[in-house]
Every structure is written in structure tokens, then in C-alpha cells.
Amino acid sequence: MLDSSWSDRLVLGDCLTVLETMPDNSVDLVMTSPPYADSRKSTYGGVHPDQYVAWFLPIAAQLQRVLKPDGTFILNIKEKVVESERHPYVLELILAMRKQGWLWTEEYIWHKRNCTPGKWPNRFRDAWERCLQFNRQKKFKMYQEAVMVPMGDWAKTRLKNLSETDQRRDTSKVGSGFGKKIANWVGRDKAYPTNVLHLATECSNKNHSAAYPIELPTWFIKLFTEENDLVLDPFLGSGTTAAAAKQLGRRYTGIELHPTYYNLAVENVERVTPHQLTLLG
Amino acid sequence: MLDSSWSDRLVLGDCLTVLETMPDNSVDLVMTSPPYADSRKSTYGGVHPDQYVAWFLPIAAQLQRVLKPDGTFILNIKEKVVESERHPYVLELILAMRKQGWLWTEEYIWHKRNCTPGKWPNRFRDAWERCLQFNRQKKFKMYQEAVMVPMGDWAKTRLKNLSETDQRRDTSKVGSGFGKKIANWVGRDKAYPTNVLHLATECSNKNHSAAYPIELPTWFIKLFTEENDLVLDPFLGSGTTAAAAKQLGRRYTGIELHPTYYNLAVENVERVTPHQLTLLG
DNA sequence: GTTCCGCATGAATCGATAG
DNA sequence: ACTATCGATTCATGCGGAA
């Protein structure tokens, strides 16, 4: 049942083609952030918003097939603004995936504490993204305690690492609520999180920006898998998901189309030691 | 053009029926939180999730008619969990309203800092709701400066303009020169918010649970209207929207079907003094 | 070694300009 | 009319140099 040939492999190639070669019911968690829709046709890999659903559905079908019945699919995505309006492709995708047989179990909010700046006459800065949870069944594996304790540890670690300046800074941040959260966590060992995640965007890697900070896949991997479970990211990018999985002692499979990103991912994943206690920040 | 007969009126009656008697292009902002979908028919205002879109669309059509072309419609809503799955009626509603001619300009997130407690095997506590922004045109009135916030927590008191950080920075800059100090101070005084709002849920003195805290309509009323503009809430509930509008010196119209809520709303709105400087539980 | 400050930069968006 | 490109706007963060 356990096909070890897909353990800890990073594959260079087209996601749909590669997925078709993977066995049924073999993945415990799919966690990915697909290329965002892009109206610029000239851009390599850009998918037009109007064609986004049609492009993604066959991939979603494959993911459904390779996912174990009690596994989970987390899709990090956010719709772009097109002609001063939020494009509806994400909404349409959710509805289409439901027709495909997926259950839309939950929508987590990733609140980006440091979002890109900018000012426009008709909108504010976009500070959040969707983390859509899809399942094949109503009953699925979920290890809530795994994210209960680390949340406290995370805060404490974070608190230790922060300089006084940064602590003070955080307290005064606009709407971040970060400083307050730390205050709330002090002396409170156990707290269940909510469906809103406060995480900064990754700024550490200079050359290539990761889609999301490693804390994001780390959280979902802890929540939905146990050790030696298999985590799949069909749009690996710079390898953040695989790195998180490896670090947590999970098996991983990653697929990436672009050689540049693929090589970067290999590098980044190799650098990770399993069970390495996190250096967050 | 300005029909004063709808200024500062609270109407007891069916929302659709009342809306049909209102003049075209007369409302600057619609802000409401409609009755949530509920499968329990006996509940007041309960609408079955599967019928929610069909129920709401005629109302949305009337709102589109009475709204000024450069006005805004803010819809506070969140989908219920039905059979372990998020029901898609909100997504379907957005798509249907777009077909009706609405522009889905933006989706704000109301992050509820103290959400209802509880624990379930397959999900965490729900700590956020959608505030969907719809417009008739790409260009609409927006007064961003009105919601600019001090560098401290914007949901808290405005009296404390000096955050610790700023005080400290200010002091340290004295050594290096005066001119710089003022420039930095002014620049750091206020910042634009993002599309994520951190507000506590209302838990204060009211018998009936208000749909949202008064800070929520207050924020959107400041953002999308000027003084003497007309704010409409077709599902007034306990009157929070009208109270916020009155307090800010805007005109308001509220419609409520249920006599109990209507009377409560009248009471709550009467208690408010226009331009009363904040400090509401 | 610490703390503090300056500065570059980032999954952005709009409007204007040019082809 | 439609598309492509560019400049302006804005602020939380981390890094590096300085005190």
C-alpha cells in the first residue's frame, strides 16, 4: 500500500502529467499554492483568470484520486483584481470542485501581517489570502492538539527571539494585534487556534520569494498528518511545503515545472534537517 | 433630488415591500447583515440555505435601484456549516449578484478577536466573517482619510496618540536634529488600514445579540459617506447601523420586520447623540 | 554582545502613456 | 478601442552598519 517510490521525491515536470503516474489513495495531505491567475499572456506560466477554472479542474481531479479518502487538500489562493473588481474565478473553482465530488469543509484565513504597500483611490492593501480546505469525506484525519501546543511554543520562541525594539514595534503595529496576542499567550499553555492565522510573509530569502512562509505549511502539516505520512505539493515553487514536511518527519512529494524553481527547491529542501527545531523569525 | 421623507426613519415592515416604495438613486451606502441562513424554519427570519440566493436576489435588485450610482453596498455575511461542509450559498450569491449587474469590488475580512467558544472534532472556532463590497460602477465615493488610524491599535482609544515606540523614537531623534524629528513624527502619525478589520464581537449591554459591533458600520460609514449622506439598512435588527449613522451625523433609513427588534432599534437609536465622541461598550 | 536606526524591498494596483 | 509597459503610491519587515 505504501509506495515508497514517491517518498521524498522532487520531480521536474508538468504537474498533470506527473500526477497521472501516481497511485490512487496514497497521499495524506495536499498543500499547495498554485500559480495565480495572470492576465499577461506573455508571461510564462500565466493563466488567464477566465480560463483558470478550466485549467485547474483536471489537476483537482487527479489530486482527488491520489489523496487518501481521509486525507485533506489545502489550497492557498486569492483572486486578483481585474478591472477594479475581484475576479470570481476562485468562487467558481470552489463550486466546480464541489461538483467534482470534493467537500468544501472550511475556509481558513491567512492574515498577512506585512502585506505589500500601495495606495489606490478605490481599495486598501490586500492583507489576507484564502486557505481552502477540501476533503473527500466528512470524516478525515485531524490532530488538533498538534497545533495547540506549538502555538504557545511558537509565541514563546518568537517572544524570546524578538529584540525589545521589535516587541515594542509589534505592540504598536496597526491592526496587527500581534503584540497583544503574545501577551495573551503568556501563562496560557494550551489554547486551540481559530480559523484565522496570523503570519508574516516570508522575507528571508532574498533571491526568490516563496509563495508563503514555512509556518503556513508547517501548521497544516501538523494539523492533518502524523509522522511518515505523505505530503504532496503539485506546485512546489521554491520548495517550502516539502521543506516543512521534511522538517516535521513527514514524507513528501513535490512537482515543479520550471527548472529554475526546481533547482532552488532541491537546494532548499536539502538544507533542512528532519525534526530540526524551528528557527522561526 | 433629496427626498427628506426617508431621512432618519425606522420602518416596521417587510424589507422588499418597503424598498419598493423608496425612490431611485437616493441612498449613499447600504450596510446590512441579513438573517443568516438557517434550516430551522421555526426560527425568526430563517431561510433555508438552499433557498437563500433566490430569497435575497429580489432584495438585491431593489438595493441596486435605490443606491446612488457612486454609492456602495456592504454585505456582512458568513456561510453556515451544513453536513460538515461550508454551504456554498454565499459564493452563489456573489456570482448571481454579478449577473444582476453588481460589481464585486472587494471582500473585507472582519476578524472577530473574541469569537464564540466551542470545540468540534473536525474544525476550529470560526473567527471571521465576510464584508462583501458591491458597487454599481467602478468609480464610487471613498473617503480613505476618514479611517486612517494612529499607529497604535486602531480599534482602541484614539486619545492615546503616542505609542511607546513613537515616544522613544522621538526622544532619540532629538539628539540628531529637530527638523527630522517633526517630519518623522508626522509621517508616522497615521497609516491607512488594510482590508482586514480587527474588532471584538459585541458582548455588551444589549438583550438581543447584535449582528455586529457598532465599530463595524462606523468604519464603513466613515469610509463611504460624508455628513448628511443617507445610510440604509434593510435588515435593521437591533439598530446598530442606524445608531452608527446617527452618531456620525449621517441620515439613515432602517427597515425591520419583527416588532420586537423594531422597538429595540427605536430605543437604541434614540439613545444616540449625533457626533457623540466615541466610547461605546 | 546589544541595541538602535537607516534602508531596500515585497504573490499589488491604478492611471497615464505609448504602440 | 484595446493591449502593454511604466511610474507613483505605501508600510511592515529583516538585514547590516553604527553607536
Side-chain angles (χ1 to χ4, degrees):
Chain A
M1 186 66 80
L2 185 148
D3 184 346
S4 63
S5 66
W6 289 93
S7 294
D8 306 343
R9 273 187 61 191
L10 303 186
V11 184
L12 174 67
D14 173 65
C15 135
L16 191 53
T17 313
V18 175
L19 282 174
E20 283 166 353
T21 68
M22 290 185 72
D24 296 356
N25 310 319
S26 56
V27 172
D28 295 280
L29 172 67
V30 177
M31 162 104 217
T32 196
S33 183
Y36 283 12
D38 198 335
S39 51
R40 292 171 301 174
K41 291 171 185 171
S42 60
T43 308
Y44 182 59
V47 181
H48 193 283
D50 295 341
Q51 303 158 353
Y52 201 85
V53 175
W55 168 76
F56 194 80
L57 275 185
I59 298 167
Q62 286 301 313
L63 296 176
Q64 197 175 20
R65 183 182 61 79
V66 302
L67 188 69
K68 289 183 185 171
D70 59 356
T72 291
F73 174 21
I74 296 293
L75 179 61
N76 168 232
I77 197 168
K78 180 67 188 262
E79 51 270 58
K80 294 196 68 156
V81 173
V82 176
E83 294 177 18
S84 302
E85 193 186 9
R86 288 285 169 192
H87 197 284
Y89 60 87
V90 174
L91 311 185
E92 288 162 352
L93 178 61
I94 296 173
L95 296 179
M97 285 179 62
R98 288 184 82 249
K99 283 182 185 158
Q100 213 176 37
W102 288 101
L103 298 178
W104 179 39
T105 305
E106 180 59 303
E107 179 169 343
Y108 291 84
I109 295 296
W110 168 26
H111 174 31
K112 299 186 281 189
R113 290 189 293 116
N114 57 334
C115 55
T116 42
K119 184 185 183 318
W120 310 276
N122 56 351
R123 64 181 63 250
F124 288 132
R125 292 174 301 143
D126 192 3
W128 64 279
E129 294 190 14
R130 307 178 194 276
C131 291
L132 303 167
Q133 177 188 348
F134 295 98
N135 290 96
R136 293 181 59 183
Q137 305 171 167
K138 292 182 187 176
K139 300 228 175 183
F140 48 87
K141 294 177 294 183
M142 192 181 197
Y143 310 96
Q144 299 191 355
E145 303 73 25
V147 291
M148 223 175 73
V149 177
M151 285 294 281
D153 287 347
W154 177 79
K156 285 168 193 169
T157 308
R158 181 83 188 179
L159 189 59
K160 263 187 217 166
N161 290 344
L162 289 173
S163 70
E164 265 194 24
T165 306
D166 286 339
Q167 287 183 45
R168 251 183 276 111
R169 247 206 233 165
D170 265 323
T171 325
S172 63
K173 283 278 157 54
V174 175
S176 76
F178 183 70
K180 279 184 178 171
K181 254 208 160 104
I182 286 182
N184 285 342
W185 285 337
V186 168
R188 190 201 264 186
D189 283 350
K190 289 189 174 185
Y192 286 104
T194 68
N195 56 2
V196 176
L197 309 175
H198 287 255
L199 297 175
T201 52
E202 189 149 35
C203 298
S204 52
N205 280 346
K206 287 179 186 175
N207 296 336
H208 303 264
S209 58
Y212 42 58
I214 196 168
E215 287 90 347
L216 194 68
T218 294
W219 195 82
F220 285 111
I221 290 169
K222 284 180 180 173
L223 182 56
F224 291 117
T225 70
E226 294 178 298
E227 288 201 12
N228 294 317
D229 277 2
L230 181 59
V231 177
L232 167 66
D233 187 345
F235 301 99
L236 190 62
S238 56
T240 312
T241 307
K246 182 180 179 186
Q247 191 177 80
L248 293 168
R250 273 68 170 176
R251 296 179 296 124
Y252 54 88
T253 302
I255 308 171
E256 175 55 44
L257 179 65
H258 302 249
T260 309
Y261 275 103
Y262 173 79
N263 292 327
L264 178 67
V266 169
E267 244 179 69
N268 286 337
V269 172
E270 270 177 2
R271 248 199 299 269
V272 172
T273 312
H275 288 283
Q276 166 186 332
L277 286 187
T278 49
L279 42 99
L280 302 173
Chain B
M1 187 66 81
L2 184 148
D3 185 346
S4 62
S5 67
W6 289 93
S7 296
D8 306 341
R9 274 187 61 190
L10 303 186
V11 184
L12 175 66
D14 173 65
C15 140
L16 190 54
T17 313
V18 175
L19 282 174
E20 283 166 353
T21 68
M22 290 185 70
D24 295 357
N25 309 319
S26 56
V27 173
D28 295 281
L29 171 67
V30 178
M31 162 103 218
T32 196
S33 183
Y36 284 5
D38 198 333
S39 47
R40 294 168 301 173
K41 292 256 175 163
S42 60
T43 310
Y44 155 72
V47 180
H48 194 283
D50 295 342
Q51 303 159 352
Y52 201 84
V53 175
W55 168 75
F56 194 81
L57 274 185
I59 298 167
Q62 286 300 313
L63 295 176
Q64 198 175 20
R65 184 184 61 79
V66 302
L67 189 67
K68 288 182 186 172
D70 58 357
T72 291
F73 174 21
I74 297 292
L75 179 61
N76 167 232
I77 197 168
K78 181 67 187 265
E79 50 270 59
K80 290 275 190 206
V81 174
V82 177
E83 293 178 17
S84 302
E85 193 186 9
R86 290 284 170 191
H87 197 284
Y89 60 87
V90 174
L91 312 185
E92 287 161 352
L93 178 60
I94 296 173
L95 296 178
M97 285 179 62
R98 288 183 81 249
K99 283 182 185 157
Q100 214 176 38
W102 288 101
L103 298 177
W104 180 38
T105 304
E106 180 58 303
E107 179 169 342
Y108 291 84
I109 295 296
W110 168 26
H111 174 30
K112 299 186 279 190
R113 295 206 56 228
N114 53 338
C115 56
T116 50
K119 185 186 184 313
W120 300 270
N122 57 352
R123 62 181 64 250
F124 288 132
R125 289 172 302 146
D126 192 3
W128 65 278
E129 293 190 13
R130 308 177 194 276
C131 291
L132 304 167
Q133 178 188 348
F134 294 98
N135 290 96
R136 294 181 58 184
Q137 305 172 167
K138 291 182 187 176
K139 301 228 176 183
F140 49 86
K141 293 177 294 183
M142 192 180 198
Y143 309 96
Q144 301 190 353
E145 297 73 24
V147 293
M148 283 189 81
V149 292
M151 293 304 287
D153 190 339
W154 72 274
K156 284 198 111 185
T157 174
R158 314 276 157 112
L159 299 178
K160 192 177 178 182
N161 280 342
L162 301 174
S163 74
E164 262 195 336
T165 307
D166 286 335
Q167 285 184 41
R168 186 167 279 258
R169 285 199 174 176
D170 199 38
T171 329
S172 64
K173 284 204 176 87
V174 174
S176 44
F178 337 100
K180 216 175 180 181
K181 163 189 160 191
I182 294 176
N184 282 340
W185 171 249
V186 171
R188 281 202 151 271
D189 191 9
K190 292 191 171 187
Y192 290 102
T194 69
N195 58 1
V196 177
L197 309 177
H198 289 253
L199 298 176
T201 51
E202 190 149 35
C203 47
S204 58
N205 46 9
K206 292 178 182 170
N207 300 336
H208 301 258
S209 60
Y212 41 59
I214 195 168
E215 286 87 353
L216 193 68
T218 295
W219 196 82
F220 285 110
I221 289 169
K222 282 181 181 172
L223 181 56
F224 291 117
T225 69
E226 295 179 298
E227 288 202 12
N228 295 316
D229 277 0
L230 182 59
V231 177
L232 167 65
D233 187 344
F235 301 100
L236 189 61
S238 57
T240 312
T241 307
K246 182 180 180 186
Q247 188 178 83
L248 293 169
R250 273 68 169 174
R251 296 179 297 125
Y252 55 86
T253 302
I255 307 171
E256 175 55 43
L257 178 65
H258 201 281
T260 307
Y261 275 102
Y262 174 80
N263 291 327
L264 179 66
V266 169
E267 239 179 76
N268 286 336
V269 172
E270 270 177 1
R271 250 200 297 268
V272 172
T273 311
H275 288 283
Q276 170 185 332
L277 287 186
T278 52
L279 202 68
L280 300 179

